[in-house]
Amino acid sequence: MLLDLHLPDRSGHEVLESIRADPATRLLPVVMLTGMATVSEKMRAQSEGVTDFIPKPFSQEELLPRVRALVMLKLFADEHEHAEHVILTLAKTIDARDPYTAGHSGRVAEYADRIATRMGLDAAARSDMRRGALFHDLGKIVIPDAVLRKPGALNAEERKIIEEHPVVGYDLLLPMKTMRKTLPVVYHHHERLDGSGYPEGIADHAIPMTVRIVTIADIFDALTTDRAYRGALSVATAFEMLTEGVQKGWWDKDGIALLREVIDDGGLSASAGPHDGARV
Ligand SMILES: [Fe+2]
Ligand SMILES: [Fe+2]
């Protein structure tokens, strides 16, 4: 978009703000045409997310190559968005493969985000964590239904198959540059602080806070929703089990205290609340 700063009925700043606020246009390159723009007007436009400035009057030779370059950039951005959308749909489909886990990843992302907000994590860390939470069980795509939906206890071989899912998810997302920051959550969401988890058995500070938070959210949602092998447990029982896990040295104590606050505050909205959900 080529946008003039001074328009008859509203300012270019207002138009730019609404473009950036709308998910459908937030990645649209916007070039501001400036005639008499002051430095402060330009700085404001920059903070609002302008892509480039072109001073007026401009020549065709100057304008065309810049517009062409930005159109290319937009095409790349669209491709990335599309790829991410495909993966998200895939992740939801995997949740829905087992009627018990429908909506699981979305709720995990929601719980994790609320814990992280209370912990004071910044917006960038939270957004990477959220995406990691949405894709955390992507690797379940390779687990056969007979194992994923087995009503009874798993034998050692079946357990081994289940425990491959963080590695499979990691391998699937690894080639995508935009997914780099979500990889730790996907790969490590079954680790424990005492090093008894999988796949790496890393411990303590080697497990990033965002990963610890998603782990707690994942377990809580699994406990409080119906599963192929048992009914949903009460919130009280879930917290008893989480607290036992803290005592065994498995999970982050502070994260669980903050989850308690989130639940006492009403938890997720009714539509997203725990009501259905498989194994974490
Ligand atoms: Fe998992
Ligand atoms: Fe999970």
Side-chain angles (χ1 to χ4, degrees):
M1 172 182 269
L2 299 173
L3 177 66
D4 208 308
L5 187 55
H6 301 286
L7 304 169
D9 53 344
R10 57 199 292 217
S11 84
H13 293 294
E14 270 176 65
V15 177
L16 181 57
E17 262 178 348
S18 56
I19 287 170
R20 290 293 174 250
D22 183 345
T25 54
R26 70 188 170 88
L27 296 177
L28 183 71
V30 177
V31 176
M32 209 164 245
L33 305 172
T34 54
M36 310 283 280
T38 62
V39 173
S40 76
E41 276 179 322
K42 281 188 163 184
M43 281 173 65
R44 185 174 159 197
Q46 249 160 2
S47 71
E48 287 160 352
V50 74
T51 314
D52 202 0
F53 297 101
I54 292 183
K56 286 198 293 190
F58 49 82
S59 66
Q60 203 175 327
E61 292 75 37
E62 184 187 14
L63 186 64
L64 275 178
R66 285 165 93 167
V67 167
R68 230 176 256 131
L70 291 172
V71 168
M72 289 284 287
L73 192 73
K74 178 69 169 75
L75 290 176
F76 282 127
D78 285 350
E79 256 175 50
H80 271 298
E81 268 213 322
H82 180 67
E84 185 156 343
H85 187 74
V86 169
I87 296 181
L88 188 58
T89 308
L90 193 64
K92 282 186 186 165
T93 312
I94 293 159
D95 277 355
R97 223 175 101 199
D98 176 349
Y100 291 110
T101 52
H104 167 66
S105 299
R107 288 192 303 272
V108 172
E110 215 39 62
Y111 285 128
D113 194 41
R114 287 176 200 212
I115 297 170
T117 304
R118 281 171 193 261
M119 206 172 266
L121 297 195
D122 64 58
R126 283 197 346 254
S127 122
D128 292 333
M129 182 196 70
R130 258 193 93 89
R131 289 162 81 215
L134 289 173
F135 302 135
H136 76 280
D137 281 336
L138 188 67
K140 285 190 173 174
I141 194 165
V142 298
I143 303 176
D145 275 351
V147 177
L148 199 63
R149 302 168 70 164
K150 187 177 174 182
L154 300 175
N155 63 35
E157 191 161 327
E158 290 162 341
R159 184 142 292 280
K160 222 180 117 214
I161 294 172
I162 290 262
E163 291 186 359
E164 275 169 14
H165 78 273
V167 183
V168 174
Y170 174 91
D171 289 343
L172 285 171
L173 295 174
L174 188 64
M176 297 185 68
K177 255 193 178 155
T178 53
M179 291 291 170
R180 288 283 150 86
K181 290 180 174 164
T182 70
L183 291 176
V185 166
V186 176
Y187 191 63
H188 290 300
H189 73 275
H190 286 286
E191 305 282 3
R192 290 170 175 169
L193 290 172
D194 66 354
S196 66
Y198 64 90
E200 291 288 333
I202 54 169
D204 297 319
H205 297 296
I207 308 175
M209 187 46 82
T210 48
V211 175
R212 298 179 193 196
I213 292 172
V214 171
T215 302
I216 293 165
D218 188 24
I219 295 164
F220 179 77
D221 187 67
L223 292 174
T224 53
T225 49
D226 286 334
R227 296 283 145 150
Y229 46 93
R230 59 145 171 79
L233 303 175
S234 71
V235 167
T237 309
F239 274 103
E240 271 168 35
M241 293 174 78
L242 285 169
T243 307
E244 272 171 34
V246 170
Q247 282 155 3
K248 289 180 194 157
W250 293 351
W251 299 315
D252 190 272
K253 192 178 174 207
D254 298 339
I256 290 171
L258 292 173
L259 176 63
R260 180 82 254 184
E261 286 183 26
V262 169
I263 301 303
D264 290 346
D265 248 20
L268 307 182
S269 62
S271 61
H275 45 76
D276 54 12
R279 292 172 172 98
V280 295

